[in-house]
Amino acid sequence: MTTITSPAPASGAAEAKSAAGRAPLRRGLLRWLFVAPALAYMALFFGYPLVRNIVMSFQHYTPKTYFTGEAPFNGLDNWRAVFANELFTDALWHTALFTVGSLLGQFTIGLTLAVFFSRRFRLSGFVRAVLLLPWLVPMVVSAVVWRRILDQDHGMLNTALHAVGLVPQDGVPWLSSPGVALLSAVLVNIWIGIPFNMVILYGGLQEIPRELYEAASLDGSGPWRTFRSITLPMLRPVITVVLVLGFMSTVKILDLILALTSGGPADSTQTLGTVTYQLSFLQLDFGQGAVVGNVLILISAVFAVLYLRANRADFGKGK
Amino acid sequence: MNRPMQRPASLLLMRSVWNTAAALLILAVLLFPVYWMLNTALQPESSIAGTEWFPVSPSLKNFDTAISTQGGSLLTSFVVALGAVVVCLALAAPAAYGLAQFGLRGGQGIVFATLITQMVPGIVIANALYSAYAQLDLVNSYLGLILADASLGLPFAVVLLRAFMVSIPSEVVEAAMVDGANRFTAFVRIVLPMSRNALITAGLFTFLFAWSDFMFALTLNTTDDVKPITLGIYQFVGAHVSDWGAVMATAVLSAVPAAILLVVAQKYIAAGITGGSVK
């Protein structure tokens, strides 16, 4: 509105106002043409799925639906079925363990490495760059490589651990025992997430003014005290962002688990992401799949709010 | 301030050497799986008796198998990822410019919404897209997969490019317009060349996101007509789990874009990771 009215003469009559207003109006529309295609695309590929998933969660889908196009509404049937399904409750629990475990590991190791690489020494930049490789490789590929390493009989990890006497002859069933598989998936995901945490936290560390450390050193502050009283508080905004982004990408994980364990053994690594996939694309019950998807969105939405609050300062910037 | 300066130079040098050694050790530990992938791929006999620690008599036989069985998928991935980059940049660059420079009413809200879209779980999108694609006849099509994969990079590209274009002085474009260019030609001739580095960063990451995509490849294809390498290796592992050498050779080939990126475009990567996600 401001772009349209502000160039118009303040004292002008109605006709003069509309004549002067037409050109800026056209210019305003032309400007919107720059943004419109991306907006339309985002509405189709993000907005539509969000709405469609809510609708679908109240519809009865069968494989037949794809021939007849008929998906009758069935009230809360899908929701009741999903919430009564033990697999869903298990998946909820696995997702929580997987997410918390992954974040703790990724963040702690990422921060330690970021602090370490903040020291000045030869090859620091080179090593930091090469460490990014695990994050850049497709997740399915990483998962497949780990599947080989963690194999109980021929995997390199058991061979090595047995050689130094840490595990018995038959090794640890990393991926083949329900009690261990989720932990293995967490360890692999920690490995994948370390580079991302390290890079962002390293960037945050570089922003902390050197003078603060010099002052602390003059006051006789030891390394741990300096870390707790300067590094951590100054790094807080970056830490929030890194944890929230990590949460968003971990809670919905699918690639890693499908390629590593396919949700097994005995559903011990099923998460909300894999259950959605299984319900929709393997059992072809898109209605129930949509219910789990909506639960996933709900959980993400809570953290999206956290993310936006953490980013609030950034919204004031720019034009 | 005084204490560190009184340290003898030799002590500082020692510290630097120790730090470098520690860094290399960290690198060796964290990159071990990558080494193991390469090592297994180079040993044609690895499947039978486990894998040797070093490829004593390396052979490219596994790579022959990988290329003959998965070569088509590598090509598919390349075409799809390139298509996604084109779609993504064509949409993101003008939008980012508009949001950065025009002071549009509601522009802030759009940036906000763009950030939110990065949080929509992919499986939710796939769930709804599949039924839409089935009606539009886009299942098992290059176009369908390209459009879906472009969505992986678009919000990222808009946010990254906007952050860059905010700093372009508006006088530069106005000067071109005084010379008779309209806003669109000024955008193409002036703004795009100025944003070259940001465009490369956004493009590289979109390529990588699309190349790494597994979920859309898995859910939006019911036949083998359009099978990217991520789907290829997933099915390959299921069917040929005894031929680990060939599986690992495929893994190596599918990790090539990441490796090239690290070597050739190193300076864009850190910029991309921090620029696109934090701001």
Side-chain angles (χ1 to χ4, degrees):
Chain A
M1 209 59 174
T2 44
T3 51
I4 299 167
T5 49
S6 60
S11 61
E15 303 146 43
K17 206 172 189 172
S18 76
R22 212 172 289 141
L25 181 71
R26 222 182 59 141
R27 203 170 67 205
L29 281 175
L30 275 175
R31 289 175 163 199
W32 273 102
L33 278 184
F34 277 78
V35 185
L39 271 188
Y41 180 90
M42 286 199 275
L44 279 177
F45 280 82
F46 295 105
Y48 166 79
L50 281 178
V51 177
R52 185 68 197 260
N53 254 275
I54 295 174
V55 177
M56 276 166 96
S57 68
F58 299 104
Q59 282 179 305
H60 184 56
Y61 266 79
T62 59
K64 217 174 74 186
T65 303
Y66 286 92
F67 298 104
T68 60
E70 280 166 29
F73 283 92
N74 62 355
L76 289 173
D77 284 3
N78 294 330
W79 292 81
R80 277 196 213 101
V82 165
F83 281 88
N85 189 342
E86 211 173 294
L87 186 58
F88 172 76
T89 5
D90 285 351
L92 208 57
W93 176 235
H94 298 155
T95 308
L97 287 178
F98 181 80
T99 309
V100 171
S102 297
L103 287 187
L104 273 178
Q106 291 172 356
F107 176 76
T108 320
I109 300 175
L111 181 60
T112 311
L113 291 185
V115 170
F116 173 73
F117 282 102
S118 294
R119 300 177 180 178
R120 303 266 167 274
F121 57 88
R122 284 175 67 98
L123 291 181
S124 162
F126 165 78
V127 173
R128 243 187 316 120
V130 179
L131 278 181
L132 283 174
L133 197 59
W135 189 73
L136 296 168
V137 169
M139 206 182 263
V140 177
V141 175
S142 299
V144 165
V145 174
W146 274 101
R147 190 163 144 177
R148 169 69 178 162
I149 293 174
L150 296 175
D151 184 87
Q152 186 174 0
D153 300 324
H154 302 292
M156 166 270 139
L157 188 60
N158 275 343
T159 312
L161 289 178
H162 176 65
V164 293
L166 279 175
V167 301
Q169 177 72 50
D170 44 351
V172 178
W174 295 108
L175 298 173
S176 45
S177 153
V180 190
L182 189 64
L183 176 71
S184 302
V186 168
L187 292 177
V188 174
N189 194 45
I190 289 174
W191 178 79
I192 290 174
I194 290 171
F196 176 77
N197 279 264
M198 182 191 74
V199 169
I200 303 229
L201 292 168
Y202 178 85
L205 287 174
Q206 304 312 301
E207 305 274 302
I208 302 176
R210 295 275 137 226
E211 297 80 45
L212 287 180
Y213 288 109
E214 281 162 16
S217 155
L218 277 179
D219 291 344
S221 163
W224 177 238
R225 181 67 209 272
T226 309
F227 179 77
R228 266 187 44 203
S229 306
I230 296 180
T231 311
L232 274 186
M234 292 296 287
L235 208 54
R236 232 192 69 180
V238 182
I239 289 176
T240 315
V241 168
V242 110
L243 286 180
V244 172
L245 286 176
F247 178 89
M248 315 286 329
S249 56
T250 310
V251 79
K252 64 183 178 187
I253 210 139
L254 182 75
D255 311 27
L256 174 76
I257 292 185
L258 281 188
L260 204 58
T261 62
S262 305
D267 288 331
S268 62
T269 53
Q270 293 278 10
T271 56
L272 292 177
T274 61
V275 170
T276 313
Y277 169 72
Q278 190 173 320
L279 287 172
S280 290
F281 291 96
L282 298 180
Q283 295 174 20
L284 297 173
D285 191 331
F286 282 77
Q288 289 197 23
V291 171
V292 185
N294 286 335
V295 172
L296 207 49
I297 293 174
L298 219 62
I299 297 173
S300 302
V302 172
F303 283 81
V305 172
L306 281 179
Y307 174 78
L308 291 167
R309 285 191 55 177
N311 257 292
R312 203 169 34 188
D314 272 333
F315 277 104
K317 291 183 198 162
K319 294 182 186 177
Chain B
M1 204 51 189
N2 280 328
R3 276 195 307 162
M5 291 181 109
Q6 282 166 356
R7 278 187 194 130
S10 61
L11 191 70
L12 285 177
L13 185 71
M14 275 287 282
R15 280 217 164 164
S16 175
V17 170
W18 276 113
N19 281 331
T20 305
L24 291 175
L25 183 70
I26 291 168
L27 188 69
V29 171
L30 283 184
L31 255 56
F32 184 81
V34 178
Y35 166 73
W36 205 247
M37 166 174 80
L38 204 58
N39 178 41
T40 312
L42 289 169
Q43 297 181 38
E45 313 303 331
S46 68
S47 48
I48 305 152
T51 310
E52 297 295 325
W53 285 92
F54 305 99
V56 191
S57 48
S59 146
L60 293 179
K61 194 175 137 262
N62 288 325
F63 286 90
D64 282 345
T65 316
I67 288 175
S68 62
T69 55
Q70 302 290 326
S73 294
L74 285 166
L75 200 65
T76 301
S77 279
F78 192 73
V79 172
V80 169
L82 221 54
V85 171
V86 172
V87 171
C88 177
L89 290 186
L91 293 168
Y97 179 64
L99 292 169
Q101 295 279 343
F102 293 168
L104 296 170
R105 229 176 135 247
Q108 212 80 305
I110 297 172
V111 178
F112 196 81
T114 308
L115 279 167
I116 295 271
T117 59
Q118 283 177 306
M119 287 148 202
V120 182
I123 187 69
V124 169
I125 299 175
N127 220 28
L129 270 193
Y130 182 81
S131 62
Y133 270 28
Q135 282 159 8
L136 295 168
D137 217 9
L138 280 172
V139 178
N140 302 316
S141 75
Y142 277 89
L143 180 66
L145 192 56
I146 287 172
L147 288 175
D149 280 357
S151 76
L152 298 170
L154 186 78
F156 171 85
V158 169
V159 172
L160 184 91
L161 290 170
R162 179 186 161 273
F164 178 83
M165 289 174 176
V166 160
S167 62
I168 296 179
S170 50
E171 292 81 21
V172 179
V173 176
E174 277 155 22
M177 288 175 70
V178 167
D179 291 343
N182 67 31
R183 194 161 275 282
F184 186 72
T185 43
F187 168 71
V188 172
R189 297 237 179 97
I190 312 285
V191 176
L192 288 187
M194 282 181 82
S195 317
R196 199 176 135 252
N197 280 1
L199 286 168
I200 292 176
T201 308
L204 285 175
F205 271 85
T206 306
F207 186 92
L208 214 57
F209 292 158
W211 181 275
S212 302
D213 165 60
F214 172 63
M215 200 175 36
F216 289 135
L218 178 70
T219 54
L220 301 179
N221 294 294
T222 53
T223 63
D224 282 349
D225 293 345
V226 183
K227 185 166 75 175
I229 190 64
T230 47
L231 188 55
I233 197 170
Y234 178 65
Q235 294 176 349
F236 199 36
V237 149
H240 301 266
V241 81
S242 57
D243 194 359
W244 274 103
V247 170
M248 289 297 128
T250 314
V252 172
L253 292 176
S254 58
V256 162
I260 292 177
L261 210 67
L262 263 186
V263 176
V264 179
Q266 213 204 88
K267 67 170 174 171
Y268 298 107
I269 296 178
I273 295 179
T274 47
S277 47
V278 178
K279 282 174 187 152

